[in-house]
Amino acid sequence: MAIKDTPEEWQVTATATPFRGNKTSVRTDDVVMPDGKVARRDYQVHPGSVAVLALDDEGRVLVLRQYRHPVRHKLWEIPAGLLDVPGENPLHAAQRELYEEAHVKAEDWRVLVDVYPTPGGCDEAVRIFLARGLSEAEGERFEVSEEEADMELARVSLDELVRGALAGDLHNNCLVVGALAATAALAGDGFDALRPAEAAWPARPFDA
């Protein structure tokens, strides 16, 4: 039996949006349960995100350290960002984030893994890319602001990231999932067996 997530949508008898923010909102749905009863579900509506596990020729991952106010931590992360434009090609968004946050470009792009980080409370979908063949981007660096103003950059071995995640020292979802997925890919059929960068993404359909 194949283990595979499948799309399904239960009946919604009423819906409301009690909060609208700059990028996300909160929706309240009354959903019909299998026993016929109606249950209320509150969740964050999110445009979706991309993240980039950028791996250099020495097996090091480009990581950055950034303050995250909701969890009151400075977290080590991989470059990531929102899909700001509806229908935006996620590869183009990932390339933009790698440039803006690290001033780096990559020659080889693959889809590493797709995830719903918090499906019980948010509809966010994240596509994590693997980027290889790294080099410094041309032109001036992107001007950062707010939380990114004091962002630190580093290159850390993939093995060290996995050890840090398993030890409870690293907590960022995209970093942990990306590092573990890359390690699994290396132990399996290798990076060249990963999906192409333009692979379909039903969770966030995009223009080619």
Side-chain angles (χ1 to χ4, degrees):
M1 174 182 170
I3 302 297
K4 184 177 182 179
D5 296 334
T6 55
E8 184 167 324
E9 189 166 351
W10 293 359
Q11 181 185 359
V12 175
T13 60
T15 187
T17 305
F19 171 79
R20 293 184 185 276
N22 185 33
K23 297 293 185 180
T24 67
S25 59
V26 173
R27 182 177 295 161
T28 298
D29 289 343
D30 290 342
V31 186
V32 179
M33 298 289 114
D35 62 1
K37 296 179 180 178
V38 175
R40 180 156 291 177
R41 294 289 178 261
D42 302 318
Y43 58 99
Q44 183 184 23
V45 178
H46 194 286
S49 306
V50 292
V52 185
L53 190 132
L55 189 67
D56 68 17
D57 293 338
E58 298 178 33
R60 300 174 302 173
V61 177
L62 195 156
V63 293
L64 50 93
R65 189 169 180 247
Q66 186 173 341
Y67 177 67
R68 294 300 186 184
H69 185 71
V71 295
R72 294 350 187 237
H73 270 71
K74 271 194 170 183
L75 300 179
W76 284 103
E77 307 180 352
I78 56 178
L82 297 176
L83 290 168
D84 293 312
V85 181
E88 183 177 16
N89 188 308
L91 173 60
H92 299 165
Q95 291 169 333
R96 179 188 68 234
E97 293 299 331
L98 185 61
Y99 162 73
E100 290 182 357
E101 296 191 348
H103 200 67
V104 166
K105 62 181 181 179
E107 294 297 322
D108 185 87
W109 290 81
R110 309 275 173 156
V111 174
L112 183 56
V113 68
D114 298 328
V115 294
Y116 293 116
T118 52
C122 181
D123 72 351
E124 181 183 11
V126 181
R127 169 158 282 187
I128 303 176
F129 289 90
L130 172 70
R132 294 179 295 168
L134 308 184
S135 61
E136 186 172 354
E138 296 89 0
E140 296 182 4
R141 286 186 172 272
F142 182 79
E143 186 175 346
V144 297
S145 61
E146 299 178 350
E147 288 92 344
E148 297 178 351
D150 71 340
M151 193 164 57
E152 303 170 49
L153 292 174
R155 297 196 181 199
V156 180
S157 74
L158 185 59
D159 290 344
E160 186 174 346
L161 294 181
V162 171
R163 284 195 296 270
L166 297 180
D169 295 329
L170 299 172
H171 306 88
N172 176 261
N173 183 286
C174 291
L175 183 149
V176 172
V177 171
L180 294 174
T183 301
L186 277 175
D189 296 329
F191 290 147
D192 291 338
L194 293 170
R195 286 172 290 162
E198 296 278 9
W201 190 17
R204 291 294 184 275
F206 59 90
D207 301 324

